[in-house]
Amino acid sequence: MSLLTINDLSLGYESHAILEHLSFSVNAGDYLCVVGENGSGKSTLMRTVLGLQKPLGGSIEFGSGMQRNEIGYLPQQTAIQKDFPATVWEIVLSGCQARIGRRAFYTKAEKALAEENLSRMGMADYRKRCYRELSGGQQQRVLLARALCATRKLLLLDEPVSGLDPKVTAEMYALIERLNREGVTIIMISHDIAAAIRYATHILHVGGGQTFFGSVDEY
C-alpha cells in the first residue's frame, strides 16, 4: 500500500520551476534512491514532501494512516550543526518533539523510545557525550536515532554518507539496509549511483532534461 503519492508535482522557487510534472509513489517497505546532478531538485523535493516548502503545482498525498509529522528526516549537515553544543541524549530525545504537542516534558514512553533508538544505532554508551566531540560517523548515527524517534514508517535521508570515509560509509549503508529490512521505508538522496543500484528497490533519477522512476532492474 502506498505511503506517499506524488501527482504532477512541480517544484522550484518564486515561480521558477526546477522540476515539473513529477509523478511517482512509494509503497511501504520500499527503498527509493533519488539520484541526479547538483541543482536538479533532489533536496527541494525532500523539503516539499516535508512541508518546508510549497510546491508550484501538483499534489502530495499520504496513505496508510501516514501523517507528515510522522516522517523521520536526516538532513545534510552544515559545519555549524556538526559543532552543536548538546549531549547525544538531548539530540536524540528531541526527535520526539512532534509527539509532545503543548506538553512541557517528555513522557516515560518517549524517553524509552529514545533509549531504544540509541541502542539500535549502537550509541547507548555515548548518551552523555557532547555531540560535537563525536566522529562524523557517530554523529550520523545519533541523527539517525533522532529521526527514528519521529517515525516507525518513513525515513527521508539527504546524503547520509556525505564526508564519511569508505569504511564508515559502508557501515552506514549496512545500517540503513537493516532498517529497511526491519520495515522502515527509505527515501534517500545519493550521488553514489553504484550504491543506489546495490541497496535500493527503486530509483528516481532527476535532471538532465528527463526524469526516470522505476525499479532498479528497469533502471
Side-chain angles (χ1 to χ4, degrees):
M1 188 174 291
S2 177
L3 284 182
L4 174 69
T5 302
I6 304 292
N7 293 305
D8 197 30
L9 195 68
S10 293
L11 310 169
Y13 301 89
E14 299 178 355
S15 77
H16 173 67
I18 300 173
L19 270 174
E20 294 184 287
H21 309 302
L22 183 63
S23 296
F24 66 93
S25 62
V26 178
N27 295 324
D30 282 354
Y31 188 150
L32 171 65
C33 271
V34 184
V35 299
E37 61 193 28
N38 289 335
S40 58
K42 302 185 298 297
S43 293
T44 304
L45 172 61
M46 277 206 177
R47 287 194 295 271
T48 305
V49 169
L50 289 163
L52 303 176
Q53 183 171 328
K54 290 185 178 180
L56 300 179
S59 66
I60 299 171
E61 299 173 3
F62 296 97
S64 300
M66 183 81 196
Q67 302 293 322
R68 181 170 266 140
N69 66 358
E70 296 176 320
I71 299 174
Y73 178 44
L74 196 163
Q76 288 190 55
Q77 277 207 88
T78 65
I80 293 175
Q81 289 168 331
K82 290 180 180 180
D83 200 37
F84 195 63
T87 66
V88 165
W89 174 246
E90 288 168 336
I91 287 176
V92 174
L93 190 58
S94 71
C96 296
Q97 278 189 327
R99 305 167 185 268
I100 287 181
R102 296 184 178 180
R103 281 187 284 111
F105 302 99
Y106 294 102
T107 64
K108 288 183 179 179
E110 288 158 353
K111 291 177 181 178
L113 180 62
E115 292 279 12
E116 174 191 336
N117 287 317
L118 262 176
S119 296
R120 252 175 127 181
M121 297 297 102
M123 294 300 293
D125 292 341
Y126 294 81
R127 65 193 312 281
K128 295 182 179 180
R129 290 277 299 276
C130 183
Y131 175 77
R132 63 186 177 190
E133 295 173 356
L134 303 180
S135 69
Q138 289 169 337
Q139 287 186 343
Q140 288 298 79
R141 283 174 179 261
V142 170
L143 294 180
L144 200 48
R146 180 184 186 275
L148 286 167
C149 285
T151 189
R152 294 187 184 275
K153 295 182 179 180
L154 177 61
L155 277 178
L156 269 56
L157 312 175
D158 194 347
E159 295 284 357
V161 301
S162 178
L164 303 182
D165 66 45
K167 180 178 182 294
V168 177
T169 292
E171 291 172 350
M172 184 60 63
Y173 279 138
L175 194 56
I176 294 166
E177 183 184 34
R178 190 190 82 201
L179 291 172
N180 182 239
R181 288 199 307 266
E182 292 173 355
V184 181
T185 303
I186 304 292
I187 301 177
M188 180 174 73
I189 292 176
S190 178
H191 282 102
D192 189 344
I193 292 179
I197 291 171
R198 177 178 177 183
Y199 293 107
T201 60
H202 295 77
I203 302 288
L204 173 64
H205 194 134
V206 296
Q210 60 182 4
T211 300
F212 168 88
F213 173 77
S215 69
V216 168
D217 288 341
E218 291 169 334
Y219 185 68

